[in-house]
Amino acid sequence: MLVHIFINGEKRKVHCQPDAMLLEVLRDAGCKSVKCGCDTTNCGLCTVWLDGKPVLSCSVPAARVNERHVTTLEGIQDEAEAFGKYLVGEGAEQCGFCSPGLIMNVVAMKKELDHPTDDEIRHYLEGNLCRCTGYMGQMRAIRQYVDEEVEA
């Protein structure tokens, strides 16, 4: 089947199987930041933005994104780098496998929520699993990123 998708602002024609998930299509299109970590929609590693909202690409049929806009980490490099510096500063990047999905959600949260509380941050990010950090370093980095961006 042929699907027309805007990937990081570029319109692409994608040939895929009728049962293909967006995750597969994006990886085939070269978006290697989009990862599969669980196959059960529980880890958050495959998070992308669909029309500006975070979604788990492993649970979105590619056929449903026809003529829609998908943004991956490759499409928000400046924002990702800005937040990534906070992760590194807190030693929260560890292996980095979960970082793309986390970054996609943190940047989306910053755009959506004004002055989020720690509870709001935890709720927004509850689907992002990390097996390395214990989350405290990530939480400190998120808090610093959100607070500094709000003040700027």
Side-chain angles (χ1 to χ4, degrees), residues 23 26 33-37 41 43-48 55-59 101:
L23 168 76
L26 292 172
S33 69
V34 185
K35 300 175 185 167
C36 181
T41 68
C43 71
L45 270 65
C46 67
T47 301
V48 298
V55 299
L56 298 172
S57 62
C58 71
S59 66

Side-chain angles (χ1 to χ4, degrees), residues 23-45:
L23 168 76
E24 302 160 31
V25 168
L26 292 172
R27 287 193 59 83
D28 288 347
C31 299
K32 300 301 184 188
S33 69
V34 185
K35 300 175 185 167
C36 181
C38 68
D39 282 329
T40 58
T41 68
N42 288 312
C43 71
L45 270 65

Side-chain angles (χ1 to χ4, degrees), residues 1-68:
M1 96 183 308
L2 180 63
V3 180
H4 299 265
I5 307 173
F6 292 89
I7 301 175
N8 298 323
E10 180 184 331
K11 188 168 187 173
R12 298 197 191 180
K13 294 178 183 179
V14 176
H15 293 277
C16 61
Q17 296 297 318
D19 62 346
M21 290 295 165
L22 179 58
L23 168 76
E24 302 160 31
V25 168
L26 292 172
R27 287 193 59 83
D28 288 347
C31 299
K32 300 301 184 188
S33 69
V34 185
K35 300 175 185 167
C36 181
C38 68
D39 282 329
T40 58
T41 68
N42 288 312
C43 71
L45 270 65
C46 67
T47 301
V48 298
W49 298 345
L50 181 57
D51 297 330
K53 297 291 181 184
V55 299
L56 298 172
S57 62
C58 71
S59 66
V60 177
R64 290 197 177 179
V65 297
N66 193 48
E67 295 296 332
R68 295 178 75 186

Side-chain angles (χ1 to χ4, degrees), residues 79-151:
E79 293 157 301
E81 184 177 333
F83 176 58
K85 289 178 183 178
Y86 289 99
L87 285 174
V88 169
E90 289 298 328
E93 80 287 359
Q94 300 294 313
C95 80
F97 195 67
C98 68
S99 295
L102 174 72
I103 292 169
M104 293 302 292
N105 272 321
V106 169
V107 174
M109 177 188 66
K110 181 182 79 67
K111 292 176 184 227
E112 186 177 326
L113 302 179
D114 291 325
H115 307 287
T117 65
D118 286 355
D119 284 341
E120 288 174 318
I121 292 170
R122 281 190 283 277
H123 178 72
Y124 200 98
L125 302 175
E126 66 187 8
N128 288 93
L129 299 182
C130 176
R131 291 172 175 90
C132 297
T133 66
Y135 302 104
M136 295 310 297
Q138 288 179 343
M139 192 63 176
R140 288 190 303 269
I142 293 165
R143 177 89 276 149
Q144 291 169 17
Y145 173 69
V146 171
D147 289 348
E148 183 163 306
E149 290 298 312
V150 168
E151 293 172 7

